[in-house]
Amino acid sequence: MTAREPRVVLDRIRGITWDDDFSVSLGHARSRALLMREYLRRAALWARAYGAEEAWPFFDVAEYVDPSVELDAEIAAELDAYIRGNVGTPSIQKSCRGAVHFAAVRAETKAELPDLPDMYEPLLLMFERGGGYAIEQFIDLQGVAIPRGSLENNLSATPFLTLAPATLDALDGRGRITYYAKISEGYPRSSPRGIVRRRVIGNDEETHDEAFTRNLRWEPTEYLRLYELGHNDIDHVEITEAEAAAFIETMTEKLTGNTGNTGNS
């Protein structure tokens, strides 16, 4: 893990748009749901590591990791003023304070930290892609609602580590989306020839088939339709969003040389 300076995290929080314009959050509904699920998983890992299960999921992990580390007085005052003026719900306020406080702990603590992924990074990215959340029967992300689940369920959830903005953008899209990997000899599910997706929109089930191309974007494809008609020799298998994200990020790295953010920091 690499330390993040508290002021860097504070500046990220100050750059977030928290208003009630849902257009941004709706446009990023899928990636925001993935990021929240990954936050819940990471928070469960940290909570279990420090005996903070009762505080999970939205809490200041720094208080458990090294309570002797305090925020610089100037940063603490700026953070408090910003939160009081801009961040409405107590849960989000606690998460923002926790993210900045934990940055200080990671930079200053002499304690040995566990080999766990950055707890707050998925949550910060989710905030940056459309604002906050509301906790009701589900976690409402202003465009999609997901179950909180139990700590135990989240501990065993599949990791989602591909957090590069371009990858997250590629996972967003209207409609019900199903991903497929094109497989053949030498191109298994874990390293397919390519991926395609089918988006079904509305009650009329308007269908859009798209392939992720070397142009690093989704473009229309006839592959699935031709396969259904028996005119395609290349087979395919349904895959998860996490598998699609891994392919997109690998292709992006290969074609651009940009390693992006894999979420392991």
Side-chain angles (χ1 to χ4, degrees):
M1 297 184 298
T2 58
R4 296 182 185 274
E5 293 294 334
R7 182 162 294 282
V8 172
V9 178
L10 173 57
D11 287 344
R12 287 182 67 181
I13 290 171
R14 286 198 280 209
I16 294 165
T17 300
W18 302 100
D19 61 28
D20 294 329
D21 180 2
F22 294 162
S23 60
V24 176
S25 59
L26 286 171
H28 292 308
R30 289 186 175 276
S31 61
R32 279 167 52 83
L34 288 165
L35 290 166
M36 176 57 81
R37 292 190 186 103
E38 177 60 11
Y39 167 77
L40 293 172
R41 185 187 76 87
R42 295 186 184 195
L45 291 171
W46 282 94
R48 175 56 54 85
Y50 285 95
E53 289 92 343
E54 292 299 318
W56 179 87
F58 302 106
F59 65 106
D60 182 355
V61 72
E63 295 177 349
Y64 297 86
V65 176
D66 190 346
S68 69
V69 176
E70 297 182 356
L71 276 177
D72 173 83
E74 181 179 341
I75 292 177
E78 291 180 31
L79 175 63
D80 186 63
Y82 177 80
I83 285 178
R84 284 189 287 106
N86 297 274
V87 182
T89 69
S91 176
I92 299 176
Q93 290 178 358
K94 183 179 294 184
S95 296
C96 290
R97 294 182 193 277
V100 179
H101 190 189
F102 190 44
V105 166
R106 292 179 66 175
E108 300 176 25
T109 187
K110 300 299 190 291
E112 183 176 353
L113 298 179
D115 185 19
L116 293 175
D118 188 321
M119 174 170 147
Y120 291 103
E121 182 61 19
L123 194 63
L124 290 171
L125 285 169
M126 195 213 75
F127 289 153
E128 290 169 336
R129 298 176 73 81
Y133 57 84
I135 302 176
E136 298 175 358
Q137 186 174 359
F138 292 81
I139 300 176
D140 184 351
L141 303 179
Q142 302 173 356
V144 63
I146 65 171
R148 186 179 79 166
S150 68
L151 183 139
E152 294 296 334
N153 287 342
N154 280 282
L155 284 172
S156 60
T158 301
F160 182 74
L161 302 177
T162 45
L163 305 185
T167 304
L168 295 171
D169 288 345
L171 295 175
D172 287 319
R174 292 180 57 213
R176 304 185 301 280
I177 301 178
T178 307
Y179 294 96
Y180 302 94
K182 296 166 70 174
I183 58 174
S184 61
E185 186 175 353
Y187 294 93
R189 176 177 182 152
S190 59
S191 183
R193 298 171 65 100
I195 62 171
V196 297
R197 71 180 184 182
R198 172 163 285 177
R199 294 190 297 117
V200 181
I201 301 174
N203 294 330
D204 295 335
E205 298 196 339
E206 175 187 329
T207 300
H208 297 266
D209 292 341
E210 300 159 330
F212 194 78
T213 73
R214 294 179 66 84
N215 294 322
L216 302 181
R217 63 174 179 260
W218 294 103
E219 297 181 343
T221 180
E222 292 293 308
Y223 166 80
L224 290 171
R225 188 181 67 83
L226 292 174
Y227 186 91
E228 290 164 354
L229 294 173
H231 299 319
N232 214 321
D233 294 332
I234 301 174
D235 208 348
H236 61 272
V237 61
E238 184 175 339
I239 59 173
T240 65
E241 288 176 304
E243 289 173 301
F247 177 88
I248 291 167
E249 194 141 292
T250 298
M251 177 180 279
T252 301
E253 292 173 5
K254 186 182 297 184
L255 294 178
T256 67
N258 182 0
T259 58
N261 178 2
T262 62
N264 292 314
S265 59

